Every structure is written in structure tokens, then in C-alpha cells.
Amino acid sequence: MIKPELKVYAIDGIVPVVDPSAYVHPSAILIGDVIIGPGCYVGPCASLRGDFGRLILERGANLQDTCVMHGFPGTDTVVEEDGHVGHGAVLHGCRVGRNALIGMNAVIMDNVVIGEEAIVAASAFVKAGVEIPPRVLVAGVPAKVIRPLSEDEIRWKGEGTATYQDLTRRCLATLYETTPLAAVEPGRKRIEMPGVVPLVEVRKREG
């Protein structure tokens, strides 16, 4: 079993901090003033450049594949506890509130505050200085509040984040670098995750 080293770089004498219970994929880049809290997940090819401002992932947060975190000097870019940042999102000098969700390819600009349990839709652009209230859906370019979230939507978000917290534990326990097989083996197993479905599928099943 090959355990590749993390790509972690010090700058100006400041070294990233990664809690032992967090999982950071080896292809992610951590530079300088980066603090990864307990139970966090950082996905492949994420870039956390703490070479200007401080970057913080609080307990149980996830930052998925190809996400970028950065900020101006003297600022903190923060994903609070149980925050959920989807594939390809960009966070710059902002704060994502507790249990909030940032959709895939969304861009959150400087001095933005995303309220707790809010959801920012995929590909939304949240302009600098905007404060998003708690428990609302935000979408568009520029992003605007669309409506309050339902209890079902907030529960679905929480379940999705719990799935990534479980992924953190799975990665720490079973993920390793290897070589590919030459052919598909007979009876190839699938990864079983019953109950983990997109929100659109949940709504379809509920009629």
C-alpha cells in the first residue's frame, strides 16, 4: 500500500495545520496560513493558498474537487462548522456560515457573509460585501435571494454533509494509491451508499 505525501508548503515561516482526523487528498495544495479542523474533507486538486490571508475550515466542513480558497492580506476566509463547498467553487475573503452549502462552480467574493444553513446554487456569483441571511436559497449572476428554504431542504443538506464526513473516515481508512487493473473483473462490486440521492430525486419519489 502506497501512502503518498501531502502537498503542503510553508511560506514566510508559516506552516499549514491539518488535524489528524481530517482528510486532505494528496493532489490538493496547502500553502502557508491554512488551518484544517477536525473531521474535514479536502478533495482532489483543491487549492488553499494561505500566502496572503488566513484560510480556515472548521470542524466537519468539506471543500471538494478543484475548489479554490484565497483572500487579501489581513483577512480570514472561513468555512464554518459543517459547511459544504461543492466541486469547483471559489471562495475569496468570505465567510460561509455553519451548515451552509455552496453549490458547484459558485463564486463567493470578498467580505461576503453566507448565513448559517443557507444554500448558494450552482454557478451563482455572490458580489463582494453582500450578506446573505440564514436559511435561504440564493441563485443567479449576480446572486439574489430566491426564497426561504424548507425544513426538508435543510435536512437534505445536513445528510449530504454527513455523507462527506463519512467519506473523510473512509478515505483515512481505505484510500491508497495503486495501479489500475487491466480488465474488469467478473462480478465487479459497486460502492454501496443506499439513501444518498440528489434532491431532485428525493422530490420525484415524494411525488
Side-chain angles (χ1 to χ4, degrees), residues 7-18 29-37 47-58 63 69-79 91 93-94:
K7 292 181 172 62
V8 177
Y9 302 88
I11 189 169
D12 295 338
I14 300 175
V15 179
V17 177
V18 179
I29 304 291
L30 277 56
I31 299 173
D33 199 0
V34 177
I35 302 170
I36 308 297
S47 175
L48 294 87
R49 280 184 47 216
D51 47 13
F52 288 5
R54 177 168 293 174
L55 313 179
I56 302 170
L57 296 184
E58 295 185 356
L63 188 81
M69 286 184 75
H70 197 239
F72 283 106
T75 66
D76 289 357
T77 305
V78 181
V79 181
L91 308 180
C94 58

Side-chain angles (χ1 to χ4, degrees), residues 119-121 123-127 130-133 136-148:
I119 293 178
V120 177
S123 298
F125 178 81
V126 184
K127 295 192 300 184
V130 171
E131 293 196 17
I132 302 300
V136 296
L137 173 64
V138 176
V141 181
K144 296 178 181 178
V145 174
I146 303 300
R147 57 172 174 79

